[in-house]
Amino acid sequence: MLAVTTVMAGACGGNDEADPPVVGIAEAGFDSVAGTLRILAVHVVPPVGDEYRSGSDLRVVLTIVNVGAAPDALIGASSPDAARVEIRWDRDCDGRPDVVSRLPIASAEAAAPEKPAGVGPFDRYDLLVVAVRRDLPAGTTIPLTLTFERAGKLNTSAYVQPRSANITEPVRRCVLPASPPAR
């Protein structure tokens, strides 16, 4: 079982800042490896037109899989091409992500709790890149730095998907309390 988060991940412990081994890029986005974290399909959702204009906010979608024994957490995100980057988590599973300072990433080896304390396997999560400082046409990238408690910093990029990519976003599998039986 793999613990996954949709965001981007950090480098191996010890380094303050390291470039990740980039496994590959496709229309789904960048894949990277950082220690026990697998950062998958890092991408910006397609713009309405051909590009995002300077000053726009961008939604970056990603999945983080923690194949190690210890939990980790995404504790920071930034881009030199934006005013700020916000970490978002739909902790209540109500379809409205909240801005958080820490996104827990459960270990793949941890037993699944009834109420998850972290991101579940293959759940998607996102970052909000606020006020980009340049135009970003579809098919280009925006640099990102992700900071993790254990894995450290990871420099990566998010691929701005074109409309033609026609990729279906993963759906978060929420664990909600069972409803009482109807009477």
Side-chain angles (χ1 to χ4, degrees), residues 20-153:
V22 174
V23 176
I25 182 173
E27 282 194 332
F30 280 96
D31 290 345
S32 301
V33 175
T36 63
L37 300 177
R38 306 301 180 256
I39 300 84
L40 307 172
V42 181
H43 65 277
V44 176
V45 296
V48 173
D50 295 330
E51 67 182 1
Y52 284 100
R53 303 290 298 173
S54 179
S56 298
D57 295 345
L58 316 175
R59 184 170 157 249
V60 174
V61 178
L62 62 144
T63 297
I64 301 173
V65 179
N66 182 355
V67 298
D72 206 333
L74 179 65
I75 58 171
S78 63
S79 174
D81 290 345
R84 68 181 185 279
V85 178
E86 298 174 343
I87 301 169
R88 302 187 328 161
W89 182 18
D90 184 7
R91 176 186 345 229
D92 300 324
C93 221
D94 62 3
R96 295 181 304 240
D98 298 309
V99 175
V100 296
S101 60
R102 183 178 187 279
L103 180 65
I105 304 166
S107 164
E109 296 180 13
E114 188 172 313
K115 183 169 183 176
V119 177
F122 298 99
D123 281 350
R124 69 166 176 81
Y125 288 86
D126 60 88
L127 304 172
L128 184 64
V129 178
V130 179
V132 292
R133 295 186 173 118
R134 62 182 174 93
D135 293 345
L136 287 169
T140 62
T141 62
I142 183 168
L144 294 167
T145 298
L146 302 173
T147 304
F148 296 88
E149 279 181 349
R150 292 182 183 272
K153 288 190 178 181

